[in-house]
Amino acid sequence: MGLWLTLLSWNMGLLVIVLVSDGAIGCLEAEKVALLELKYVLNSLNGTILPSWNDDQSDCCEWERVICGNTTKTKQVTQLLLNNLRDSELINPYWSLNASYLIPFLQLQVLDLSWNYITELSTLSKLEVLDLGNNLLTGSLPESIGNLSTLKALSLSMNNLAEPLPSEGGICKLKKLQDLDLDHNKLPGQLPFCLKNLTSLRNDIRVIDLSYNGILDRFPNWLLKNNTRLEFFGLGNNYLTGPLELNCTSRYIDMNTLDVSHNPIKRDIPPCIGFVYPNLRVLNMSKSALEGIIPASMGDMGLLMILDLSANNLFGQIPKELVIGGKSLEFLKLSNNNFSGPILSTKANLGLLRVLRLDNNHFTGKISDVFMNSSLLRVLDLSNNHLNGELPGWIGSYQQLTSLVLSQNSLQGVLPLELCKLNRLTYLDLSKNNFTGTLPSCFDLLNLRYLHLQGNQFSGPMPIALANSSLLLTFDLMNNRFSGEIPSWIGTFSNLRVLLLKGNYLKGSIPIAICQLRHISILDLSHNNLSGNIPSCLNVVSSGLLDPLDNILFGEYFIMVPIKFPKYLSDNLIHVDEGIDIRGLVSDEEQDVEFMSKRRSESYKGNILYYMSGIDISCNMLTGPIPPQIGYLNSIHTLNLSNNNLSGSIPESFSNLRDVESLDISYNKLSGHIPSQLIELYSLALFSVAHNNLSGMTPESKYQFATFGPSSYEGNPLLCGPPLQGCTFGTATEPVIHSDVEEESNFKDNFLWSFAASFVIAFLSVIVICYFNPDLGSRTFPCMFFV
Ligand SMILES: *[C@@H]1O[C@H](CO)[C@@H](O)[C@H](O)[C@H]1NC(C)=O
Ligand SMILES: *[C@@H]1O[C@H](CO)[C@@H](O)[C@H](O)[C@H]1NC(C)=O
Ligand SMILES: *[C@@H]1O[C@H](CO)[C@@H](O)[C@H](O)[C@H]1NC(C)=O
Ligand SMILES: *[C@@H]1O[C@H](CO)[C@@H](O)[C@H](O)[C@H]1NC(C)=O
Ligand SMILES: *[C@@H]1O[C@H](CO)[C@@H](O)[C@H](O)[C@H]1NC(C)=O
Ligand SMILES: *[C@@H]1O[C@H](CO)[C@@H](O)[C@H](O)[C@H]1NC(C)=O
Ligand SMILES: *[C@@H]1O[C@H](CO)[C@@H](O)[C@H](O)[C@H]1NC(C)=O
Ligand SMILES: *[C@@H]1O[C@H](CO)[C@@H](O)[C@H](O)[C@H]1NC(C)=O
Ligand SMILES: *[C@@H]1O[C@H](CO)[C@@H](O)[C@H](O)[C@H]1NC(C)=O
Ligand SMILES: *[C@@H]1O[C@H](CO)[C@@H](O)[C@H](O)[C@H]1NC(C)=O
Ligand SMILES: *[C@@H]1O[C@H](CO)[C@@H](O)[C@H](O)[C@H]1NC(C)=O
Ligand SMILES: *[C@@H]1O[C@H](CO)[C@@H](O)[C@H](O)[C@H]1NC(C)=O
């Protein structure tokens, strides 16, 4: 009794204490009295809080911020949520709580005293579990924590502790400690060797979690040694260097979770790992610069459920021992390594597999040889490898599949009809292969949100069955051989944000139905054979800021895994949000975003378009005037109408395009004057009206317009004024064409930078090629494009 835990350095922090006790007394009288006493101290000196707590006939379980449980015959207080009660208005808000006030609450499990100006807290001698997780505690761990000699579990995870652990005393004195959670802080420096005292003396430490800190130096192999009862060891997301050393003659049968991910370990995985930790269920060594091969002994880990070795420099084949022995595997991620050979060297025994991500490696062989008997598979990502052959019909047997990503391989042939059976698919990416033929007429995937088929040789019309995919967010058929008209059912994709039909053989007019796409952000119909007028209703295209898509989860599922303390509040569930991985896909450092500019494809690393908006209908055969309504797309960034047969004048309403950075209406038959108001487009970085029949004066060479060279205006014989030379007002002559190479590269930099600034926020997982009017310099093949 009478122990004091001084929390002076933690004042105002959030406190959650979990007390473990047993016994059974009714709330009613004893707890009611105790609550009223608590109210009294909480109100010192002049507070007026908790008015509903009254000494009347009311049931105290009904009082605000009191939660009772019914574990015994009578209801008893189990939770007191007393956060944010004391405020700075009080005469003296600073406050210390004598924990004897808490003794009457025998069933109390959760005590939340966050944000209450607490400076001191006396603790109970019986305290076994102290959970101060997920708070705002800063500074260092107080020395006096070592006084809590009965403590078995200590959690300070998710705070801002930022001083190195002391080299002696403190937590090293907690001789009964079994669970130590200091993850998600800012603990710097080295781990004190005194931690060894926590462990080797008694051998009953179960959990050590120091992940997400700033711990430096060599990997603390000493902390692993001799801790025979250790179950959970988390050191991920620190700055530890290798090697990871294991004593290959000892076995640690209790160890179930080892996470050393995201450290610059840079060495091999110890070959005996499967022997030393035979019962591991979770192994995460991703992002650790590991070299070498996957040890065959991993096949001996008969209980392994989650294996994440992604983003290392591992090579060789997936060992057949793992493919055979991995019968418990539910999640296997080997993405972004240098693996080669066939994907599965032998008949797989992976019946529980739900997520298989082998993307960005050098796997070879026919995709038809990949068959795994895993009917639970939800996510299959084999993209960016060297797989070939046709997509086999057995793909239809993966009925649970939500994400199928096979892009950037050398797959060919027509799509099997069985693909239509995958009606849970939300994400289908077959882009950049060599698929041919028409899309199956049965292709009505009701849950599809992302469809990427770009860069293949698909032909024929778009099957009407697609119209049933009404949840589509991105629809990318770019650079194929689709023909026929743009179907009017496209208007039923009411959530669509990205529509990419560029580079096909589509003909007919742009359907009015396209104006029903109220959330469209990127519309690229360029490089087709479209004719007719531009629909004047296009101004309803919302453009501009989009809502985040975070309510849309993909491949999300739960795996039962052993989970570390605290057990009281959460189930033994780990939430694996993989799969489509819309965020993963774009935020992985390896992912590029391609921007097409000046006929050069610019790879742009980082995140992609969130509130980007652009319309590109260039390189078609569109006729008629530019509808003035287009000028009211006032948050649009890119507008490309070039290389059509548009006539009439440039609408004055274009001066409303405040955010436009690229405006290209070159190579048309536009006539009349250039509206002088255009100089108010301060964001403009690319501007071209070249090769039309415009006349009159060029806009005043002011603001952004001072940066445009003659190439922006050339090819308009009747146009006059700077930067064109050799003409005087009223007597236009052929302008002199300047070399503007330098200007171009400046533009490119500016342009990409402005994109970088504007479009940092990730969401749409497409690799969108935002195609701007190619080339203002050389004039050959204006509508040629490059994949
Ligand atoms: C507690 O309440 C829940 C829901 O009201 C009920 O299902 C459960 O049986 C109760 N437990 C006891 C021990 O009375
Ligand atoms: C407490 O007293 C202070 C100083 O007199 C006053 O400013 C504040 O409003 C009072 N607060 C309450 C809740 O009465
Ligand atoms: C806490 O309260 C108990 C009972 O009211 C009292 O005996 C004890 O001295 C108090 N402790 C401190 C440090 O004030
Ligand atoms: C708590 O620990 C501090 C520092 O380790 C020590 O000075 C103090 O005497 C201890 N308090 C009690 C009540 O044991
Ligand atoms: C470990 O504990 C022993 C005895 O309790 C003590 O002598 C020793 O200094 C401690 N080691 C470290 C590194 O703190
Ligand atoms: C492990 O335990 C053995 C004896 O059980 C002891 O000799 C050895 O020093 C210990 N190793 C470490 C690193 O504590
Ligand atoms: C390895 O473990 C064995 C058995 O537990 C033990 O005898 C040996 O001393 C350990 N070796 C090292 C280097 O710790
Ligand atoms: C493995 O660790 C990395 C980096 O810490 C993390 O991003 C990833 O989600 C982890 N994998 C799993 C399956 O939890
Ligand atoms: C990947 O493997 C190939 C040969 O298989 C080798 O040439 C290349 O350097 C490796 N790349 C890395 C990053 O290890
Ligand atoms: C797939 O596994 C099931 C049981 O999990 C088994 O009945 C079936 O024969 C297996 N099929 C193949 C082709 O191995
Ligand atoms: C695609 O297929 C065509 C015809 O079968 C072939 O000429 C071409 O090389 C293939 N392209 C790729 C990238 O495999
Ligand atoms: C779309 O779905 C409805 C109901 O699920 C179905 O009746 C209809 O045939 C489907 N249309 C196409 C074109 O597949």
Side-chain angles (χ1 to χ4, degrees), residues 32-42 101:
K32 191 172 190 176
V33 168
L35 285 171
L36 291 170
E37 280 178 15
L38 252 184
K39 175 182 172 179
Y40 178 77
V41 290
L42 276 165
Y101 289 112

Side-chain angles (χ1 to χ4, degrees), residues 312-316 337-340 362:
N312 285 297
N313 296 319
L314 298 167
F315 53 82
N337 277 288
N338 208 1
F339 291 115
S340 56
H362 301 293

Side-chain angles (χ1 to χ4, degrees), residues 565-629:
F565 162 91
K567 283 181 178 158
Y568 341 91
L569 302 176
S570 54
D571 293 333
N572 269 14
L573 287 173
I574 187 169
H575 176 209
V576 182
D577 179 12
E578 260 287 328
I580 174 136
D581 209 355
I582 185 161
R583 270 151 276 197
L585 204 62
V586 265
S587 61
D588 275 355
E589 305 82 75
E590 304 80 15
Q591 295 291 334
D592 290 357
V593 173
E594 292 173 38
F595 284 104
M596 194 90 128
S597 175
K598 312 272 180 167
R599 291 192 175 173
R600 283 182 293 262
S601 176
E602 300 286 345
S603 243
Y604 191 78
K605 284 211 190 270
N607 295 327
I608 204 180
L609 321 163
Y610 165 48
Y611 56 99
M612 152 65 169
S613 64
I615 293 184
D616 188 347
I617 50 181
S618 66
C619 295
N620 279 291
M621 303 180 312
L622 299 167
T623 51
I626 301 175
Q629 288 89 339

Side-chain angles (χ1 to χ4, degrees), residues 347 351 371 373:
K347 195 165 178 337
F371 184 70
N373 195 1

Side-chain angles (χ1 to χ4, degrees), residues 441-442 444 446 464-468:
S441 60
C442 57
D444 62 334
L446 295 177
I464 189 168
L466 270 177
N468 267 357

